[in-house]
Amino acid sequence: MKLVVANLKMNKTKEEMIIYKKTLEENIENNNLIICPQDIYLDFMISQNYKVGAQDLYIENSGSYTGENSPDALESIGVTYGIVGHSERRKHFNETNDFINKKIKAALTNNIIPILCIGESLEERELKEEILKKQLEECLKEITGEIIIAYEPIWAIGTGKLPTTKEITEVISFIKTISKNKVIYGGSINLENIEEIINLENIDGVLIGGASLNPNNLINIFNKC
Ligand code: PGA
């Protein structure tokens, strides 16, 4: 069974989350499904039926950091995963590899498994191995614990465009020559393309944005994994 990470991003009201949780709990009982809702719903979403991940976390456990989320506090409510370095955080909040490296360390110290996102932009596509290597080396500096690496080409996120299966397999193999961790793919995964992608032999799972917003759609995707 491969991992399925659902990144709900900044979506859904409390009412919608109540239905989302109920639908999942009626249909799923599996630790390979990881739901990453907005922070305000993390505590509410904790369940025996699936795992819960934060969409981001801070580098310190406490202090005067208005608006941030403490990895220690996340652990205390039962969050077990944390996405770090998503391209939207890199783009809108200027997150650097060095800062992401600190987040990975903070997560691991608090028993949260980091899901590190890396990926190239369209302009960088020809040079992607160089770009990915730099992201990995800088983000994983002095890191020894278990992490998950999500390969997410920026141009494939929310666009309906995917790399070929050959490209995905090659990139995953390349990442695995640099890091011995699990590698998942993210970017425009949906019910139509999931089987082709999830059956690639070296892939350890998928990260799903848009297609995870409808819980029934997510369940249908998950059941093919
Ligand atoms: P998408 O998003 O599935 O909507 O392309 C993926 C992501 O941003 O992680």
Side-chain angles (χ1 to χ4, degrees):
M1 182 88 210
K2 299 187 175 183
L3 289 174
V4 174
V5 182
N7 178 8
L8 303 188
K9 305 193 181 179
M10 199 179 73
N11 292 292
K12 298 207 180 286
T13 61
K14 178 69 186 277
E15 247 175 28
E16 290 167 336
M17 288 309 291
I18 291 171
I19 297 168
Y20 196 93
K21 185 180 188 194
K22 188 166 175 280
T23 311
L24 290 183
E25 288 187 329
E26 284 169 359
N27 292 282
I28 300 265
E29 209 181 330
N30 198 310
N31 283 343
N32 291 314
L33 178 64
I34 303 157
I35 307 294
C36 306
Q38 290 187 66
D39 294 339
I40 48 173
Y41 305 129
L42 282 168
D43 198 19
F44 166 72
M45 283 301 288
I46 298 293
S47 171
Q48 299 295 324
N49 293 54
Y50 52 81
K51 294 287 178 185
V52 172
Q55 292 178 13
D56 188 33
L57 45 82
Y58 196 57
I59 61 174
E60 299 287 346
N61 273 338
S62 62
S64 304
Y65 305 102
T66 304
E68 292 296 329
N69 283 311
S70 148
D72 180 34
L74 291 171
E75 184 193 13
S76 75
I77 63 165
V79 169
T80 44
Y81 290 85
I83 299 174
V84 292
H86 192 282
S87 62
E88 288 155 15
R89 301 242 22 122
R90 293 177 190 258
K91 181 178 171 207
H92 300 303
F93 305 97
N94 302 319
E95 291 197 5
T96 61
N97 290 333
D98 180 50
F99 191 51
I100 294 161
N101 173 260
K102 292 192 174 81
K103 290 189 175 192
I104 295 173
K105 287 178 182 157
L108 289 170
T109 307
N110 291 285
N111 304 311
I112 291 177
I113 301 171
I115 302 170
L116 166 65
C117 299
I118 57 169
E120 80 287 355
S121 66
L122 199 54
E123 301 77 57
E124 294 165 338
R125 202 170 167 189
E126 296 304 312
L127 299 168
K128 66 172 173 294
E129 292 203 344
E130 248 171 72
I131 302 288
L132 297 174
K133 185 164 183 272
K134 184 170 179 338
Q135 288 177 349
L136 283 171
E137 281 173 358
E138 293 180 4
C139 292
L140 298 182
K141 202 168 159 212
E142 295 160 359
I143 305 281
T144 47
E146 179 200 353
I147 73 153
I148 294 162
I149 297 170
Y151 170 53
E152 298 209 300
I154 299 167
W155 52 270
I157 296 177
T159 59
K161 295 188 190 125
L162 275 87
T164 62
T165 49
K166 182 168 173 280
E167 271 179 286
I168 295 175
T169 307
E170 282 170 4
V171 174
I172 291 175
S173 295
F174 174 72
I175 293 170
K176 288 187 173 181
T177 62
I178 298 174
S179 166
K180 299 296 163 225
N181 287 292
K182 283 189 177 150
V183 182
I184 64 178
Y185 167 82
S188 293
I189 290 287
N190 58 34
L191 191 55
E192 283 69 52
N193 59 31
I194 185 65
E195 275 169 295
E196 199 183 7
I197 306 290
I198 204 73
N199 289 321
L200 296 175
E201 78 182 63
N202 61 358
I203 202 170
D204 297 304
V206 287
L207 199 161
I208 309 173
S212 71
L213 291 177
N214 177 320
N216 292 306
N217 198 43
L218 176 64
I219 291 162
N220 289 336
I221 294 175
F222 184 74
N223 286 337
K224 291 184 186 289
C225 294

